[in-house]
Amino acid sequence: YKRQVGTLTRTMRAIQGGDTSIRVPQDSRIQEVNQISQTVNTMMDVIQQQKISAYEQRLENHHARLQYLHLQIRPHFFLNCLNQVYSLAGEGKYKAIQELILDLSSYLRSIFQDGSRLVPLKNELASVESYVRIQSAEVPFPPQLKVSIDADVLKVPVPHLSLLTFVENSIKHSCRQDSPLEIRIKCSKLSGENGSNYLYISIRGNGGGFPPEVLQEFNGPLKDIYTEQHMGISNIRHRVRLLFGTEATISFRNLTDGACVELFLPIQLERTD
């Protein structure tokens, strides 16, 4: 009896310490002890199930929040592309429209995906290339895209629209009028502490830098997601935080003739779609 009470006591102390997976043996020859053990085990089964349910609810809320953030961005790109098609149609440039629609269909297939998932870097780059071609249609100084990618990071998963959002922002806010905007994207693998690996992404444009107040905001604490100011970039910052936590960082800075965005994302190949 003393041994069985001792076992029950140790189990209760383990439970008190936070171990909800432990169970009390029900092999006593004393019926009362077995009844107590059964009651404790039943209680722990209920607690464990509640913990699982609470965790699943958090995941569901997490997923819904990511979906909301992604859906906020989609109309922004979609309407920009339709305006470009409309403009070409008004000028009767049907060949250009055919080429544009091919890029647009490829682009739309990529953006209408589950925003809570990660996509291979090469897929995100393909979306960027389609978007730049769309923005280059029949303009005096089409934007120039230059990409430098290490071959071993092409399959690394990244948040959907992460690169595209910053490229779109560079084109939209470029101050160049008599020369083409040049966008440079560089992606490489970096080794961190404890054997961890990171994907480094640099997106640079020579279309002018960030205003001081915007730069301060982007490098500052995350604000409410329900905002119309800098919606695309705000959403990407929140999605990166939701997907990677504090393991990932995004930094913004100004260069001599433009702006630069740098992302450091932990490499998690098992999460690739």
Side-chain angles (χ1 to χ4, degrees):
Y1 181 81
K2 184 177 180 180
R3 178 184 61 82
Q4 293 159 349
V5 172
T7 300
L8 181 59
T9 301
R10 287 191 297 272
T11 302
M12 296 302 294
R13 286 175 178 171
I15 293 171
Q16 185 179 16
D19 186 357
T20 59
S21 64
I22 195 170
R23 296 295 181 271
V24 185
Q26 295 180 234
D27 55 359
S28 175
R29 288 178 293 180
I30 303 174
Q31 183 178 2
E32 289 78 5
V33 173
N34 281 335
Q35 288 176 344
I36 295 174
S37 299
Q38 183 179 4
T39 301
V40 171
N41 290 341
T42 300
M43 178 183 67
M44 297 314 301
D45 288 341
V46 172
I47 292 175
Q48 187 75 357
Q49 185 57 48
Q50 288 177 341
K51 288 181 65 176
I52 293 172
S53 297
Y55 177 71
E56 289 176 345
Q57 183 63 47
R58 287 198 300 272
L59 287 179
E60 184 177 342
N61 293 340
H62 177 85
H63 180 81
R65 201 170 165 207
L66 284 170
Q67 288 284 48
Y68 168 78
L69 291 171
H70 190 54
L71 285 169
Q72 268 192 309
I73 300 176
R74 287 172 179 164
H76 183 59
F77 289 114
F78 184 63
L79 293 176
N80 283 349
C81 295
L82 287 183
N83 287 336
Q84 186 69 27
V85 173
Y86 180 81
S87 177
L88 289 173
E91 298 174 11
K93 297 179 179 180
Y94 303 115
K95 177 63 176 177
I97 291 175
Q98 288 178 326
E99 295 174 352
L100 185 59
I101 287 177
L102 289 177
D103 273 325
L104 182 56
S105 63
S106 174
Y107 167 78
L108 291 178
R109 277 197 302 270
S110 69
I111 68 168
F112 281 94
Q113 296 181 12
D114 186 350
S116 66
R117 296 185 180 277
L118 303 177
V119 299
L121 176 61
K122 62 179 180 180
N123 292 17
E124 180 67 12
L125 288 171
S127 299
V128 168
E129 291 169 351
S130 294
Y131 180 81
V132 171
R133 284 195 295 267
I134 290 170
Q135 296 299 320
S136 300
E138 302 298 317
V139 296
F141 301 101
Q144 305 294 312
L145 178 65
K146 298 185 178 181
V147 180
S148 175
I149 307 292
D150 290 351
D152 60 346
V153 300
L154 285 173
K155 294 183 178 180
V156 171
V158 298
H160 196 40
L161 300 185
S162 52
L163 277 71
L164 184 58
T165 297
F166 299 116
V167 170
E168 190 272 349
N169 189 75
S170 295
I171 293 176
K172 179 180 178 181
H173 297 286
S174 174
C175 62
R176 289 190 170 271
Q177 298 179 351
D178 56 356
S179 61
L181 168 69
E182 184 176 287
I183 301 172
R184 293 180 177 269
I185 297 178
K186 180 180 179 180
C187 304
S188 59
K189 182 179 179 180
L190 299 178
S191 296
E193 298 179 355
N194 302 321
S196 57
N197 293 314
Y198 289 83
L199 173 64
Y200 168 71
I201 301 173
S202 171
I203 305 169
R204 302 185 177 201
N206 63 349
F210 297 109
E213 65 277 7
V214 173
L215 195 62
Q216 182 178 5
E217 177 186 342
F218 286 170
N219 285 321
L222 286 173
K223 295 183 178 180
D224 189 355
I225 63 174
Y226 306 103
T227 175
E228 294 183 1
Q229 291 292 325
H230 315 298
M231 182 178 66
I233 291 179
S234 175
N235 283 337
I236 291 300
R237 293 181 66 201
H238 278 89
R239 288 173 60 216
V240 166
R241 175 60 59 86
L242 286 170
L243 289 164
F244 298 107
T246 57
E247 293 184 72
T249 59
I250 305 178
S251 63
F252 303 80
R253 59 190 176 96
N254 285 333
L255 306 174
T256 303
D257 60 350
C260 176
V261 179
E262 294 177 304
L263 296 88
F264 295 86
L265 307 177
I267 294 179
Q268 301 174 339
L269 289 176
E270 68 275 8
R271 297 181 64 180
T272 307
D273 284 359

